[in-house]
Amino acid sequence: MMILELEAYQAIGLAITIIGSIYASGKSFFSRFETVLKERDDGLKDELSKLSNQMSRESEAIRKLDREVLILKGELPRDYVAKEDFIRSFTVVEAKLDAVQNLITNLKVEGRN
């Protein structure tokens, strides 16, 4: 069995050395950890900035699309006729043609008599 005998100043020096080593190792470890976290934060900030810019562009594109749809809604009734409106108008024209045909037929019948 081995017995280690130290004087007080040697024991204090050894304790300070051990505590200093543990402190330096911990500080080094947490310094690296902090650096990694800072790099990650910077990367996240860059990604969030890019995402924000992209969302702004997409939001502007959506607003532009909304304006175009509103313009189209305004132009459609002027440029195109709804199916129901066309059928209604065509029915009126057919009724008038039928009336003209009946008139001509009646005139021919009366002209023969």
Side-chain angles (χ1 to χ4, degrees):
M1 178 147 96
M2 186 169 146
I3 297 177
L4 182 62
E5 290 184 23
L6 297 173
E7 302 238 355
Y9 72 92
Q10 290 174 330
I12 293 172
L14 184 61
I16 289 174
T17 302
I18 292 172
I19 291 172
S21 297
I22 292 172
Y23 175 77
S25 297
K27 187 170 181 169
S28 173
F29 173 75
F30 286 114
S31 174
R32 272 190 258 144
F33 187 68
E34 183 181 353
T35 302
V36 169
L37 285 178
K38 185 173 183 192
E39 288 173 359
R40 181 182 285 176
D41 280 351
D42 290 343
L44 287 174
K45 284 179 185 176
D46 291 342
E47 291 298 319
L48 284 174
S49 175
K50 289 177 187 176
L51 185 61
S52 175
N53 291 337
Q54 182 180 1
M55 286 177 64
S56 295
R57 288 191 305 270
E58 288 177 0
S59 177
E60 182 60 33
I62 288 171
R63 277 191 238 113
K64 183 179 177 184
L65 188 60
D66 282 343
R67 283 192 297 267
E68 290 174 2
V69 167
L70 288 174
I71 290 170
L72 182 63
K73 280 183 178 181
E75 291 175 354
L76 278 177
R78 183 187 60 190
D79 295 337
Y80 298 98
V81 178
K83 182 178 178 181
E84 295 81 17
D85 292 339
F86 176 77
I87 291 172
R88 191 177 316 116
S89 297
F90 197 72
T91 303
V92 170
V93 170
E94 283 180 337
K96 288 180 180 181
L97 285 174
D98 288 342
V100 170
Q101 181 185 9
N102 287 338
L103 181 63
I104 292 173
T105 305
N106 289 341
L107 287 177
K108 282 185 181 179
V109 170
E110 288 178 12
R112 288 188 199 163
N113 291 337

